[in-house]
Every structure is written in C-alpha cells, then in structure tokens.
Amino acid sequence: MNTLSRRGFLAASAATLSAATVPSLLLPVRPAHADGHKVITAGKRIIEVKGKAANVFGLTQADGSSGLVMNAGENFRVRLNNLIGEPTAIHWHGLTPPWQQDGVAGISQEPIPDGGSHDYDFPVARPGTFWMHSHFGLQEQLMLAAPLIVHDPAESGQDVQEVVVLFHDFTFRDPQEILAELKAGGHDMSAMAPAPAPAAGGHEGHDMSGMSGTAMGTGQSSHDNMDHGAMGGMQMGGGQMAGMSHLQDVQYDALLANDRTLDDPEVFAVEPGGRVRLRLINGAASTNMWLDLGKLEGKLIAVDGMPIEPIKGTRFEFAVAQRLDILLELPKEAAAWPVFAVQEGGRMRTGVVLAAKGASVGKLTEMADEDFPAVGADLEQKLRAAKPLDEKVVTRKHTMMLGEGPNYAWTLDGAMHGQDKPLAVASGDRFELTFMNHTTMSHPMHLHGHHFQVVAVNGKRFAGALRDTVLVPANMGMVTIAFDADNAGKWALHCHHLYHMAGGMMTSMAYND
C-alpha cells in the first residue's frame, strides 16, 4: 500500500508541478473532434525509480492510457499535442504512412513547438506490435515513447490474453551531459568483449569523461572492389586491438518494464492453463537485451509486428527498437511466472509477472544469476517469414559502410548526418542493401516507411524475417536486406542506438521520382 500511495503522490505532484512551472500547460487542450481524431499528448510525468522521483516524458490519451490501440483497416487519425516544454516530433515506428506524416524532424516535418499540435491522418493496413517515440534530440532517453498496437480484426474472436510491455533503459543523468562526455572521452572500454564469439563479460558500461580517444577510424567510403579481409588489421585508438567489441556506451541506473523495476514489478492476472500473447517492445535508448521467459517456454510468432514461422524457446535476442510477439500456453497449476529482459553482456534486468489468482509473487532480484552473452545474429539466421517477399529481380544494390571515428563520430558511407548524401531509389525497385559494420559495436539499423526482408547474414543467403529494424554485428558483421520501393518520399535510415544516431549515424533514402 505504501508503494501505491507513493506512486499516486508522485503523479499528483507531477500534475501540480507541470501546471505551475510550464505556462504552455495552461493552454486549453483540444478534445477529440467529431471528425474522429484521437488526441495523444506528449507531456511531463514523474515516476519512481529505486525510491527516487524521476522527471520523464510520456505519450498518453485523455484517459491516461499510454500510447494507442487500433484495428488494421482503420485510419490513423491522431492529433498530437505537445506539452513537454520544448519542441518535439513523434515517429510512428513500424507504420508506413505517407512520408510527410512519418514524424521525423528535419526530414518529414518541422518540430512541433511547445504548446502546439499536429494532425495525422493515413490508412493503416497491417496489424502488428509497433510503437511511437520521439525523433527529436535525445528525448527518447527521457521515455517519450509508448506502445502502438494494431490488431487484426480476423483474430478478434481468439481466446488469448494480451500483455503489452515497453522496456526502457533508465538514467537519472541528463542525456545531453552523457553525449557530451561520450564525445569528449570515447567509449567505455570496461565493457569490451572479444569478437566474433559472443561476449560473456559481466561488466556494466560507464560514461568515461577522462579517457583519450578510443574510437576506430572511419571505414572506406569506396567499397566496390574492397578486400574485406584487409579490415582485420585496423587498430583502435587507446591501444585496444581490433577484433574486440564493446557492448555499452552508457551506465544505466536501471532497466524498466512499463516504467517499473523488479522492486515493484507490474503483475498481470492470468488464468492457469490460459493462453497469453506477449507484445514486447525494446524501447531502450541504447541497450540490446535478452528476453528470458524463465520456467516458461514460448512460441515466437512475430518480430517487428510481422508474422514468422513459429520458433519455440525460453530466451530470445532482442535488439534496440525490435519487437517480439510470443505466445504462451500457461501451465495449469496456479503459480506466478516472471518474464525478464536482461542487458546483453551483463546481469542487470527488469520484467513483469504473470500471476494466477491466489499465487504468491516472491521478491525478484534485479540481477540475473549469470552473465548473458552479447546479442548477435543467431536468432536472426533462424527466423523465416510467414509470407516472404515475392521472387523478383533485384534492380538496385548498395553496400553501406558503418564507420566509427574520433570524438564519438559515427558514420554511414564515411559521412556523418548533415554531410551525408541521400541513398537514391526509384519506385518499383527491388532494392538489396547490405550493411557492413567496420566498428567495434553492433548497430540496430532502422529503415523508415518500409518493411524489409533479411536475406543474408555474413554472405549466407536465406529467406529471413520481415522487419523494420535489424542488428548488424560488430567487427565486419554484414547483413543484407531486401525491400520493394513502394512508398515514394524521403525516409530516414539510421542506427537506433540513440547516441550513435546523435553522433552522426543517420542518413535518408530519397526516391528520385
């Protein structure tokens, strides 16, 4: 009861504080109109993390619910109100709207000023587990994100309970301060692990403000006749050998599941013997995770909202910005079953609990019993799309070099965002894009406005999953994706590690027609 009352006090305090300190919050918020627009408000919140109050952002509807739930076949008719005290732009991650409604500041729209609003209206054809998040500055680290669930009307009669969980990595520090330290001092070298074998070190990342430059030089931008093996001799600054990878840039205070730690996890009431569909979203700014079902075995049925041929397991790789849909057939005994998300290369974890009526929920520790390895491409190579892309002649190919430079510079084809040249595409193209990673870290690469199929890892071809975000392993890892150019416009293409993107690892893809 104390925890609940404390949460209620924090929520009330947040409302009082916001109204008193931010003049824009005194502006009237326009309700949903008769034309069917739902209102989502980007606003300020106070949550509790490890007994301390934390100021964060959020995306909520008028009833206080986080994010949005809708049906495929409906129009995404949303008015977004910005009440966070600064400009913002919100991206509908996984949806394929007209490009002007994609919500990316500097590419598809101007930022929404504080106190302003912006209307969106476009059809949503595909069901799936998607999400919405800020695409402006470092606001995503401050939890300006929420689930975006699109149901399949054909599945409305199924006897399956849905559990939606949004995971975050949380820090009490100012993200701008963290980025400044990264640019001044390079990487945290305590989180190094050998490659290509999965890392097993239990070190947590640290923001290193006193280190000299430790970044690898940028990769070559001319790559048509490149000797891939020649890259093995590249040296990293600071005396570190090539062939080493590191996993964390930032030391986090906690991992969160639906805003909560394992000190006070969210408990979902479930029926023994029932079926549960977990809709899981890795909304972390920079932490790849493992999804750990503990004593349960689950059936992975979709990734990034797109159906796959089911795969059974108890642990699944879960990179930044990716989503996992897992179907559970619960045991018939009345019990409590924790579901964990664990950081790669360490033991820090968070989670939720599925509990039958009357079951005892014991205390859960925030550290796993063992170190979890690096997240790589093992699961990726096992996934197969339920409905792969049609066979089609590839009309355009490009190999994009992922590079790393001094002062926390991250590049695509040798250029940081702002000096980059958009990737050219034409309507009707079947495009194959290969990401080649010359850096010491993995990169979750996200293409806006399209779903792509993973068709090769390290040159090995297969008919992999349809996705919108794929992890490219460190130290010369290669992933090839294929997609149809069927949504004309100008689209963001970037690493979804927030600080890598802020450090320059972002470009665009522009249709020439």
Side-chain angles (χ1 to χ4, degrees), residues 221-472:
S221 58
S222 176
H223 44 74
D224 291 340
N225 298 306
M226 184 176 170
D227 178 6
H228 299 166
M231 296 298 295
M234 291 185 70
Q235 295 292 314
M236 294 174 58
Q240 296 292 332
M241 295 177 60
M244 298 291 287
S245 63
H246 80 280
L247 304 178
Q248 285 95 37
D249 288 296
V250 181
Q251 181 181 17
Y252 286 99
D253 294 297
L255 299 180
L256 304 181
N258 290 347
D259 296 348
R260 297 163 83 157
T261 67
L262 287 174
D263 289 336
D264 178 27
E266 185 167 3
V267 179
F268 292 90
V270 296
E271 292 292 329
R275 302 171 74 211
V276 173
R277 179 174 184 155
L278 300 176
R279 293 183 180 267
L280 308 173
I281 304 163
N282 185 346
S286 68
T287 303
N288 296 322
M289 303 180 188
W290 284 85
L291 195 284
D292 179 12
L293 296 175
K295 296 180 180 180
L296 296 174
E297 182 180 65
K299 186 187 297 182
L300 183 64
I301 58 174
V303 294
D304 294 358
M306 307 299 289
I308 60 167
E309 295 180 3
I311 293 179
K312 291 183 178 180
T314 59
R315 292 181 178 181
F316 299 95
E317 293 175 303
F318 196 22
V320 170
Q322 291 183 340
R323 285 86 68 210
L324 303 174
D325 283 42
I326 299 174
L327 188 63
L328 301 174
E329 305 276 354
L330 295 178
K332 294 184 178 180
E333 68 269 17
W337 301 278
V339 174
F340 299 109
V342 189
Q343 70 172 159
E344 66 172 341
R347 301 187 181 193
M348 185 185 290
R349 68 182 181 179
T350 187
V352 299
V353 179
L354 311 178
K357 184 177 180 180
S360 174
V361 179
K363 182 173 176 57
L364 301 171
T365 65
E366 293 189 350
M367 291 291 168
D369 294 334
E370 60 182 352
D371 295 337
F372 276 61
V375 171
D378 287 347
L379 175 61
E380 199 66 63
Q381 295 176 80
K382 298 174 184 176
L383 300 178
R384 297 294 181 268
K387 295 182 179 179
L389 291 180
D390 296 335
E391 291 291 332
K392 196 173 179 180
V393 174
V394 176
T395 56
R396 197 172 301 219
K397 293 184 179 181
H398 180 76
T399 299
M400 179 169 284
M401 300 300 177
L402 281 53
E404 182 178 0
N407 302 318
Y408 207 71
W410 299 93
T411 61
L412 295 174
D413 282 343
M416 296 173 63
H417 186 49
Q419 290 80 48
D420 57 302
K421 180 181 179 181
L423 184 66
V425 63
S427 292
D429 275 343
R430 167 62 61 84
F431 202 121
E432 281 202 359
L433 177 59
T434 297
F435 299 108
M436 181 181 288
N437 189 354
H438 293 261
T439 81
T440 56
M441 293 191 74
S442 62
H443 298 284
M445 298 303 297
H446 173 46
L447 174 61
H448 289 222
H450 301 74
H451 294 103
F452 54 73
Q453 185 168 9
V454 179
V455 295
V457 171
N458 294 329
K460 180 182 177 182
R461 303 281 301 194
F462 58 97
L466 289 171
R467 281 195 175 277
D468 56 52
T469 307
V470 67
L471 189 71
V472 185

Side-chain angles (χ1 to χ4, degrees), residues 7 45 47-49 143 166 168 256-261:
R7 287 185 181 278
R45 303 183 295 143
I47 62 171
E48 179 187 328
V49 180
M143 300 173 60
L166 175 61
H168 286 286
L256 304 181
N258 290 347
D259 296 348
R260 297 163 83 157
T261 67

Side-chain angles (χ1 to χ4, degrees), residues 126 426-429 449-451 483-488 511:
R126 294 176 186 259
S427 292
D429 275 343
H450 301 74
H451 294 103
F483 61 91
D484 290 321
D486 57 5
N487 196 6
Y511 281 66

